[in-house]
Structures are given as structure tokens and as C-alpha cells.
Amino acid sequence: MSTTRFLTGITPSGTPHLGNYAGMMRPAIAATRTPGVENFYFLADYHALIKCQEPERVHRSTLEIAASWLAAGLDPQQVTFYRQSDIPEIPELTWFLTCVTGKGVLNRAHAYKAAQDKNHEAGRDGDDGVSAGLFMYPVLMGADILLFNAHKVPVGRDQIQHIEMARDMAASFNHLYGEHFTLPEAAIEDSVATLAGLDGRKMSKSYDNTIPLFAPREQLKKLIGAIVTDSRAPGEPKQVEGSALFQMYQAFATPGETAAMRQAFAGGIAWGEAKQQLFDCIDREITPMRARYDDLMAHPEKVEAQLQIGAERARAIARPFLQQLRTAVGLRPLTAQPQAAKAGKADRAQLPSFKQYREAADGKFYFKLVAADGRLLLQSTGFDAPRDAGQAIARLQKEAGALQALAPHLAPVEGAGPEEAAAALRALAAAAE
Ligand code: TRP
């Protein structure tokens, strides 16, 4: 079994808060210690330019975010940790992918559509104030992922559509130019904590209710003091359900401490006392990290050096891979010999091909196998997840024998017998060799 490659980008905008730490950074850093995985984590500073056009903020935030991850325990030995803008192969690949991505696909991207909707509601032109950068965002993200042939991409739910788009870009490119890209999948971590903020709503920059991860001790104490509670007096039993304070405690305490706090709530602990215990518990975890953070912020050259090492490691992969891709698309020295067309479009034109699609009527995912002349050879039934459809295709591509095992997922096709489908699959497999 080869290793699974995880890749994820962190957009350097703003200062990380406790919610980012408990919900994203801490589990992502823990995941890098899993055996059998390879990790690529990077600062998506090209993406930051889409949202932020204040140079000093981009610069400062890149340092803050990089220092935060290193201070929180990210080990650059275990993780290839780099800055997007140090990898010139990313924008170059962005262009290749731009040319295999339908404009209509990008029209449907959530972030772009949301900007359009907002404009329409305000009675403005849909594209008012929308940069082409925002429109192209998913392609840049596709290049981030595909350049390193990542298998898994840990992201929040709001990013799933982008990973699906990256898959489609990979499939289109592979179809045109041969199998160069791995089809990536989103990895969604649902079990981790989403912390509530000072006002009890989800902790988020946009609600202005955050506690900065590396707030100085005194400020941390003050902010914890400001977490909303109800008006129950000392001695009155208190509810853990819906308590932002309890939830935050749970995210930083041991299970034993959490159980004791639950008891203390039932026993009527005073809010002031509960807050003191919460502070102690968070402070215990953050203090050693804060010392590292302060040191890194005072010595940006240490952070820069780490990023340069990461960029070198990343480019050792990216450089030769991009050379391969340039050759594949036909950007070659004029003295180069024409390539054997084996995996190219010309030859593939004679072969049957798989098509994957989603049926609007039932929202399910389907595939079909279509002969070179357009005749239907296989038709699947609906799958709930695109991934299941993709896996079925992968099995069929590997061996025609999988037809039997997959029979329950195949609908009868008029005019094409199973023998013809099997022959087509064998032809595909032979061409892939
Ligand atoms: N768009 C992602 C976010 O806002 C950040 C990002 C950029 C990313 N490139 C990526 C995430 C590639 C995963 C893979 O969260």
C-alpha cells in the first residue's frame, strides 16, 4: 500500500483564534502524526489577495499564521510546509486547468454565486465589484491540489464543491492528455469541536466574538471573564447544555476534568469560579505555545527559513511534474520528437469512455460507458455519493471481470450485450497499460 497524501491550504487572513485552534489546527496537527500519511500544508497567500488588497495585512497575516502553526506543534519534518507564492508551478498549472474548465462550471461556484446574489438583491449588476480572481478561485485551488496529486483534502464543508471541481478538472485533463492526475477527495472531520464565542454564537471573525489564540495572558483572562452566562447565582445548579463556557472547558480539559466540571455545574459552582478554572485549563495548554509564538514573531527569519525549506521540498516534486505536463499539452522544445500518441486524444478517440454525471431529477450520481461512435454500452443505477460511482468505474477500468460483481448497480442497456461491454472494458484496460 502506498502512502496517502493529505494536502490542505490555509488562507492567511486575520489572526487565528481559539475556535480555529480547537476546530482545525489542533486536529490537523494531530493528523500529521498518523503513520502511513504524507502531509502538505501550505499558506494560500495567492488566495488571500482575492479578499485582501492591503499589502501590509497580507504580509503580517502570513507571518502570524505561519508562526501560529509552528508554535502549535506543526513539525516541518513531518509536514511539507510551504507558501503558495513560492511555488511558480502553481500559477502555471492554474492556466492549464483554466483551459480545461468550463466557464459555466465556474459560474456555479458557491462563492461567486453568493456575490452575484448579493448584487442582485441590492439591485446592482451581478458582476459589480466581483474580480476575475474571485471567479477563478476554484481553478487556483484545483492547481494547489492537483500539482501534488493529493488523495485527501481536509477542508470545511463549505469547500466540498471546490474539491469536486478539482476532481472534474483532473478528469478532463486526464481524458485529453493521458493519466497525469490523481482524483482528489475531500476529507471532512465532523467530530471536532466548533467553539462558541464570547456571545454564545459560533466563534467567528465575522461575529467579532473571538478570543485570539495567542492573546497575552491578562487579555485571555479578561476575555474569558466576558463569556456570556445566565444569571444563576452561586449555589444554584447550572446547565451544561448550551453553555459556551462548559463547551470551551470540554475542548481543553481531560475527560476526567470535564466530568468533574459537569458535577460542579450540577452542584452550583459560581460562574466566577468556573471561569477561573476555564482560564487555568486553557492557559496550561497555550502558555508553552505562546512562548514559541512570541519568539517566532520576534524572529521572522526563523519562520522564513522553514518556509524556504518547505518550498524546496515541494518544488522538488512540482518542477519535474510540471515539465511532464508541459510536454503532455504540447509545450515542448521545437527539436523534440513527436510523442507516441499512446495516451493522447487521437488514439483515445477510438476507445470507449466513461462519463460521470449527476441527475438533476433525483440528485444521484451516475456513470455510463459510451463507445467511440457514441453508442451506450453500460448504464449505472444511481449512487448516493460521487465517490461510490467513481470507485465502481475504477474497478471496471481495472478488469472487465468486475462486471459481474457490479451487476446490481447496472441497468439493462438496449442493443448492447454484456459481451460487448466486457470487450470494450478489455480494450480500455489494454490501452492503459
Ligand atoms: N479555499 C480554502 C479555504 O478558504 C483554502 C485553500 C486554498 C485550500 N487552496 C486550497 C484548501 C487547497 C485545501 C486545498 O479554506
Side-chain angles (χ1 to χ4, degrees), residues 267-405:
I269 186 173
W271 286 124
E273 174 57 22
K275 285 179 172 177
Q276 178 64 44
Q277 289 192 26
L278 173 62
F279 169 77
D280 291 341
C281 176
I282 294 181
D283 190 51
R284 173 181 75 194
E285 182 161 338
I286 301 295
T287 292
M289 300 188 329
R290 188 193 295 112
R292 288 195 291 269
Y293 178 78
D294 290 343
D295 176 60
L296 291 170
M297 291 302 289
H299 298 282
E301 72 280 3
K302 294 187 186 171
V303 181
E304 184 61 35
Q306 286 300 346
L307 292 178
Q308 290 308 322
I309 292 171
E312 228 0 274
R313 270 173 41 191
R315 289 197 73 196
I317 297 170
R319 238 187 256 115
F321 187 42
L322 213 87
Q323 201 49 51
Q324 174 192 324
L325 298 175
R326 291 177 65 108
T327 303
V329 300
L331 306 183
R332 306 173 193 147
L334 298 179
T335 50
Q337 292 297 315
Q339 293 233 315
K342 191 183 129 251
K345 192 181 188 177
D347 222 42
R348 293 185 150 241
Q350 310 306 315
L351 290 171
S353 56
F354 279 100
K355 312 255 185 263
Q356 243 184 298
Y357 57 99
R358 184 172 195 180
E359 195 67 75
D362 60 5
K364 288 189 189 268
F365 299 87
Y366 290 80
F367 66 81
K368 57 189 176 183
L369 179 66
V370 186
D373 62 8
R375 271 179 329 116
L376 185 63
L377 299 174
L378 283 179
Q379 168 67 61
S380 79
T381 56
F383 291 85
D384 290 333
R387 181 184 165 165
D388 298 333
Q391 279 173 350
I393 293 177
R395 285 178 68 185
L396 290 167
Q397 280 171 332
K398 239 205 241 121
E399 50 151 7
L403 272 174
Q404 253 132 49

Side-chain angles (χ1 to χ4, degrees), residues 3 33 61 63 84 97 107 117 119 163 173 180 202 314 343 352 362 424:
T3 58
R33 309 206 170 98
S61 176
L63 173 61
Q84 191 181 29
L97 298 179
N107 287 339
D117 292 348
N119 275 331
I163 313 301
F173 190 98
H180 295 281
K202 178 185 164 181
D362 60 5

Side-chain angles (χ1 to χ4, degrees), residues 86-389:
D86 283 335
I87 317 294
E89 289 78 11
I90 293 174
E92 188 168 1
L93 178 55
T94 300
W95 183 250
F96 292 175
L97 298 179
T98 302
C99 295
V100 300
T101 303
K103 178 174 173 290
V105 171
L106 299 180
N107 287 339
R108 291 189 285 276
H110 298 324
Y112 174 67
K113 261 181 38 190
Q116 290 241 319
D117 292 348
K118 221 171 130 186
N119 275 331
H120 288 142
E121 273 161 36
R124 292 188 294 257
D125 180 80
D127 282 331
D128 203 59
V130 176
S131 71
L134 178 67
F135 187 69
M136 291 290 296
Y137 182 116
V139 190
L140 179 57
M141 185 158 158
D144 293 334
I145 298 168
L146 301 183
L147 182 58
F148 296 101
N149 280 309
H151 302 99
K152 300 269 183 193
V153 186
V155 283
R157 295 204 157 271
D158 61 321
Q159 299 287 321
I160 294 179
Q161 186 194 34
H162 294 147
I163 313 301
E164 285 170 357
M165 288 180 170
R167 279 180 77 87
D168 289 346
M169 291 170 207
S172 304
F173 190 98
N174 286 351
H175 182 70
L176 282 164
Y177 299 115
E179 295 294 319
H180 295 281
F181 293 124
T182 304
L183 304 191
E185 281 174 20
I188 307 292
E189 176 63 272
D190 272 328
S191 63
V192 296
T194 347
L195 291 195
L198 298 176
D199 59 359
R201 290 185 293 174
K202 178 185 164 181
M203 190 181 289
S204 159
K205 226 178 14 190
S206 37
Y207 294 147
D208 198 17
N209 64 357
T210 65
I211 301 180
L213 175 57
F214 295 122
R217 251 175 129 234
E218 277 317 302
Q219 193 194 346
L220 176 65
K221 188 156 197 168
K222 252 174 79 183
L223 287 169
I224 288 174
I227 296 173
V228 285
T229 54
D230 59 29
S231 54
R232 275 168 230 224
E236 273 186 78
K238 301 184 171 57
Q239 290 215 311
V240 296
E241 292 80 26
S243 163
L245 199 152
F246 182 79
Q247 187 214 30
M248 205 178 286
Y249 188 79
Q250 187 164 30
F252 288 90
T254 65
E257 290 167 336
T258 303
M261 182 60 92
R262 190 184 291 277
Q263 289 261 313
F265 264 56
I269 186 173
W271 286 124
E273 174 57 22
K275 285 179 172 177
Q276 178 64 44
Q277 289 192 26
L278 173 62
F279 169 77
D280 291 341
C281 176
I282 294 181
D283 190 51
R284 173 181 75 194
E285 182 161 338
I286 301 295
T287 292
M289 300 188 329
R290 188 193 295 112
R292 288 195 291 269
Y293 178 78
D294 290 343
D295 176 60
L296 291 170
M297 291 302 289
H299 298 282
E301 72 280 3
K302 294 187 186 171
V303 181
E304 184 61 35
Q306 286 300 346
L307 292 178
Q308 290 308 322
I309 292 171
E312 228 0 274
R313 270 173 41 191
R315 289 197 73 196
I317 297 170
R319 238 187 256 115
F321 187 42
L322 213 87
Q323 201 49 51
Q324 174 192 324
L325 298 175
R326 291 177 65 108
T327 303
V329 300
L331 306 183
R332 306 173 193 147
L334 298 179
T335 50
Q337 292 297 315
Q339 293 233 315
K342 191 183 129 251
K345 192 181 188 177
D347 222 42
R348 293 185 150 241
Q350 310 306 315
L351 290 171
S353 56
F354 279 100
K355 312 255 185 263
Q356 243 184 298
Y357 57 99
R358 184 172 195 180
E359 195 67 75
D362 60 5
K364 288 189 189 268
F365 299 87
Y366 290 80
F367 66 81
K368 57 189 176 183
L369 179 66
V370 186
D373 62 8
R375 271 179 329 116
L376 185 63
L377 299 174
L378 283 179
Q379 168 67 61
S380 79
T381 56
F383 291 85
D384 290 333
R387 181 184 165 165
D388 298 333

